[in-house]
């Protein structure tokens, strides 16, 4: 299977990298939060960050179940 993007085999690292990226974006947006467009973008990124953190937590729970079942 050929792909233009390299695919990671570590979903936990991918999620943690995404969290770090989203947090950096939020920090970049904060100085201009009074601007309506920036505030909208900030809220959008914040929602994505919350979703990514939830996904990481859920993945951790699944991994814990699999490791304790072994």
């Amino acid at each position: 299977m050929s792909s233009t993007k390299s695919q990671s085999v570590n979903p936990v690292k991918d999620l943690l990298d995404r969290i770090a990226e989203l947090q950096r974006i939020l920090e970049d947006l904060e100085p201009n939060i009074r601007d309506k467009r920036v505030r909208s973008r900030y809220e959008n990124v914040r929602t994505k960050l919350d979703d990514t953190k939830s996904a990481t937590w859920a993945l951790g729970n699944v991994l814990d179940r699999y490791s304790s079942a072994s």
Side-chain angles (χ1 to χ4, degrees), residues 8-63:
S8 175
V9 294
N10 190 338
V12 174
K13 183 178 180 332
D14 290 346
L15 287 170
L16 294 175
D17 288 347
R18 183 66 174 150
I19 288 171
E21 176 188 351
L22 290 169
Q23 287 177 327
R24 183 193 51 76
I25 291 170
L26 287 179
E27 290 170 3
D28 289 347
L29 292 172
E30 282 177 357
N32 299 311
I33 196 73
R34 293 186 190 268
D35 181 273
K36 190 175 183 176
R37 288 185 189 146
V38 172
R39 188 177 327 119
S40 176
R41 173 87 171 119
Y42 181 90
E43 292 302 324
N44 185 354
V45 171
R46 190 175 173 108
T47 299
K48 288 179 183 180
L49 179 60
D50 290 343
D51 291 347
T52 304
K53 286 180 177 179
S54 294
T56 303
W57 180 81
L59 181 58
N61 283 337
V62 169
L63 293 173

